[in-house]
Amino acid sequence: MVEGPVIRKQTHQVAIHHQDRTVLVGGGAPVVVQSMTNTLTTDVGSTAAQVVQLADAGAELVRITVNTPEAAVAVPAIREKLDGQGCHVPLVGDFHYNGHQLLTQYPACAEALSKYRINPGNIGRGDRKTAHFAMMVETACRYGRPIRIGVNWGSLDQSVLERLMDENSAKSAPLPAHLVMRHALVESAVESADEAVRLGLPAGKIILSCKVSSVQDLIAVNRMLSDRCRYALHLGLTEAGGGPRGIAASSAGLAVLLQEGIGDTIRISLTPEPGEGRTKEVLVAQELLQSMGLRHFSPQLISCPGCGRTTSVFFQELAYRTQQYLHAEGAAWREKYPGVENMKVAVMGCIVNGPGESRHADIGISLPGTGESPAAVVYADGVKTAVLRGQDIEKRFQQMIAEYIETHYGSQARMPA
């Protein structure tokens, strides 16, 4: 049984810069949330707009696809457009197959990016792979950029896999093929990182990831990776899917590793529903970290699921809109009211657990259940402070939340006695 705070495994710290913004990954820094655009990179306006959306939602690193010469040319324009809008989130270039060419032939692209993502499984084989990898690492050294070496289950370096399969088949008791695949993922990542160090890139400029689509493989591979090295680690379940399945699978795998102190940056890779934006994966990542007590981003809502006792429609609407209110104001509150992200707000549906849960929260409201007296009781710091009635309960409760924040986290509250 695990008790007490999570003890993070010590890894090399990687600093990712853009202008006055620095994101620290590893070395005891808080777990970083990142995301990726799904726009055509050549569409500068759409890509920049989505980056802004992701950054506003809380993404601290945003990755963009750089797959063609036209995309490489667009990267500096995207960076310039973002900076012009005051969005200084670091951009990560996602390179596959031809990254060595794009980074060397388009230096403005290399300079505009804050980090490069390299997949050692698809940059060639044999001497070509060695040369292509060296070109990308040398570019990172030239511009002082960190890299993520991202090994993927679906595009694993075949030379590593073949070598380990041959070694395994020669054993008196060979392992099942899928276990050898796990070892090959880890071996490819660590060998590539060590090669980058030999080429002159400091260990503090390297992040590793091993992406798989099975929760148990994700846990096993990253445990092995954490035991093998001290490079900073990125966690994510690839091809997780969308909706409840994607959220549940990603959370199940990442939560186990994070609880063991493994992982320095995360992404929840969700397939968006038709017409849905990209920001859900950022909010899910934040909620995962916040629910585990690893980070706090905005005041946390506590609400019951509702039952036959609750006046369900109004209760559901109040809980939903309060959650939206906390998310919408969270970033601005954090800037103005340090510590507000640790606050707990309760919205409860009836008298069974409502008063008790509301008293345990910093501020909470306990609604009347079906057939109960039509009065919503508000508690602050465990003390009953108001009884709300009428049609404007939602508005008045939000006002009380804002007043509580000003009183408890405002400049007057922080002044020494």
Side-chain angles (χ1 to χ4, degrees):
M1 181 177 178
V2 178
E3 297 181 356
V6 173
I7 305 300
R8 301 278 304 286
K9 294 197 174 182
Q10 284 300 304
T11 57
H12 299 294
Q13 187 165 85
V14 181
I16 304 167
H17 305 286
H18 178 66
Q19 291 192 4
D20 60 348
R21 178 76 60 86
T22 298
V23 177
L24 299 177
V25 176
V31 178
V32 170
V33 173
Q34 62 180 272
S35 186
M36 183 176 183
T37 60
N38 61 357
T39 55
L40 287 174
T41 305
T42 50
D43 187 339
V44 173
S46 295
T47 302
Q50 191 172 80
V51 171
V52 171
Q53 291 170 1
L54 292 169
D56 286 348
E60 294 156 303
L61 296 172
V62 178
R63 185 158 43 115
I64 61 176
T65 299
V66 189
N67 58 333
T68 64
E70 293 78 13
V73 170
V75 169
I78 293 168
R79 180 73 272 173
E80 183 178 0
K81 194 172 186 67
L82 291 171
D83 289 341
Q85 297 177 35
C87 179
H88 302 307
V89 63
L91 293 178
V92 181
D94 190 63
F95 294 98
H96 295 273
Y97 307 110
N98 59 353
H100 57 291
Q101 296 172 334
L102 298 177
L103 281 172
T104 53
Q105 293 174 12
Y106 299 91
C109 170
E111 192 165 11
L113 295 167
S114 297
K115 181 163 77 82
Y116 313 144
R117 193 270 192 172
I118 304 172
N119 184 342
N122 57 26
I123 56 173
R125 299 195 64 171
D127 292 341
R128 280 182 26 181
K129 175 197 168 185
T130 301
H132 295 171
F133 184 77
M135 289 171 67
M136 298 184 79
V137 172
E138 287 163 4
T139 302
C141 291
R142 185 179 312 121
Y143 292 102
R145 300 297 192 261
I147 64 172
R148 170 157 72 96
I149 296 173
V151 179
N152 269 54
W153 190 262
S155 52
L156 179 59
D157 187 333
Q158 292 303 299
S159 63
V160 175
L161 179 60
E162 289 165 5
R163 186 183 81 230
L164 293 190
M165 284 292 190
D166 289 344
E167 292 174 358
N168 183 63
S169 63
K171 294 179 179 178
S172 57
L175 297 172
H178 79 279
L179 296 184
V180 179
M181 181 81 81
R182 289 177 178 177
H183 286 280
L185 284 162
V186 174
E187 196 68 26
S188 177
V190 174
E191 284 185 2
S192 297
D194 290 346
E195 176 63 17
V197 171
R198 282 192 290 272
L199 290 168
L201 193 67
K205 293 282 188 184
I206 299 171
I207 298 172
L208 298 186
S209 69
C210 287
K211 293 289 191 75
V212 294
S213 55
S214 157
V215 170
Q216 295 300 333
D217 287 327
L218 176 74
I219 294 169
V221 165
N222 280 281
R223 282 173 173 165
M224 293 165 59
L225 193 58
S226 178
D227 287 341
R228 278 285 304 274
C229 69
R230 290 188 58 221
Y231 297 112
L233 301 183
H234 168 72
L235 303 181
L237 188 71
T238 192
E239 293 100 33
R245 192 271 174 190
I247 293 172
S250 292
S251 299
L254 269 61
V256 171
L257 293 166
L258 292 169
Q259 185 63 36
E260 295 177 3
I262 298 171
D264 302 294
T265 174
I266 64 171
R267 182 189 173 200
I268 305 293
S269 300
L270 298 179
T271 304
E273 296 176 8
E276 183 180 48
R278 196 71 161 173
T279 57
K280 180 188 287 185
E281 64 179 46
V282 178
L283 299 179
V284 172
Q286 290 181 328
E287 291 291 352
L288 173 61
L289 294 174
Q290 184 147 330
S291 66
M292 296 183 68
L294 293 172
R295 288 190 68 180
H296 296 277
F297 299 93
S298 63
Q300 187 172 11
L301 181 71
I302 300 165
S303 62
C304 68
C307 66
R309 287 179 175 271
T310 58
T311 311
S312 58
V313 174
F314 179 68
F315 162 66
Q316 291 167 7
E317 290 176 347
L318 181 62
Y320 174 78
R321 289 173 183 158
T322 302
Q323 178 74 79
Q324 295 299 105
Y325 175 64
L326 298 178
H327 274 305
E329 301 294 334
W333 282 341
R334 283 201 309 274
E335 290 290 324
K336 188 175 180 181
Y337 304 108
V340 71
E341 64 273 12
N342 298 301
M343 191 175 82
K344 293 184 178 180
V345 179
V347 175
M348 303 299 294
C350 78
I351 62 172
V352 174
N353 291 317
E357 288 287 355
S358 296
R359 288 191 185 99
H360 288 309
D362 294 292
I363 183 170
I365 187 169
S366 178
L367 299 178
T370 303
E372 296 168 4
S373 175
V377 183
V378 178
Y379 297 87
D381 297 326
V383 178
K384 178 179 174 181
T385 59
V387 179
L388 304 182
R389 295 181 175 85
Q391 301 300 312
D392 60 347
I393 288 176
E394 175 189 331
K395 180 179 178 181
R396 291 165 65 192
F397 184 53
Q398 289 183 3
Q399 289 173 342
M400 295 182 74
I401 292 173
E403 291 167 0
Y404 183 94
I405 291 171
E406 176 61 41
T407 301
H408 289 69
Y409 300 96
S411 57
Q412 291 298 318
R414 296 195 301 271
M415 290 180 64

